[in-house]
């Protein structure tokens, strides 16, 4: 098989075009891969995060109620 030499500048042009295409494909596939990993990690962390938030809120409410009761503030009565 005989190969003819490429016209001047054609090799550089082809390399440039191929690199542009690779860049677009890599960008898209990396975004998809990263999104998948982030989604998986979020799902795995979510139950623990919910537990922590619930605990923090519960303790904050307990402390607020205890502080209010300790302050000796009069209680409101319904009439």
């Amino acid at each position: 098989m005989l190969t003819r030499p490429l016209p001047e500048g054609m090799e550089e042009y082809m390399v440039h075009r191929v690199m542009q295409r690779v860049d677009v494909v890599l960008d898209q596939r990396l975004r998809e891969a990263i999104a998948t990993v982030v989604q998986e990690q979020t799902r795995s962390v979510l139950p623990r995060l919910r537990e922590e938030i619930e605990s923090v809120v519960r303790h904050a409410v307990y402390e607020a109620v205890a502080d209010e009761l300790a302050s000796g503030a009069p209680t409101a009565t319904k009439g």
Side-chain angles (χ1 to χ4, degrees):
M1 179 174 178
L2 296 174
T3 58
R4 294 183 288 196
L6 294 174
E8 189 173 325
M10 182 60 122
E11 182 178 349
E12 186 176 322
Y13 172 78
M14 289 298 292
V15 168
H16 178 72
R17 293 287 296 168
V18 167
M19 292 304 292
Q20 282 180 326
R21 290 176 187 269
V22 168
D23 187 49
V24 169
V25 170
L26 276 178
D27 183 62
Q28 178 183 353
R29 291 194 180 156
L30 285 173
R31 286 177 189 270
E32 291 169 359
I34 290 169
T36 299
V37 169
V38 167
Q39 209 170 27
E40 289 170 358
Q41 291 299 313
T42 301
R43 268 189 245 125
S44 69
V45 170
L46 202 55
R48 175 79 172 125
L49 187 57
R50 283 185 180 145
E51 289 173 12
E52 285 298 316
I53 291 170
E54 181 182 328
S55 175
V56 167
V57 170
R58 186 181 317 110
H59 287 271
V61 170
Y62 288 160
E63 287 178 23
V65 169
D67 289 347
E68 191 61 28
L69 292 174
S71 72
T75 57
T77 59
K78 287 188 175 182

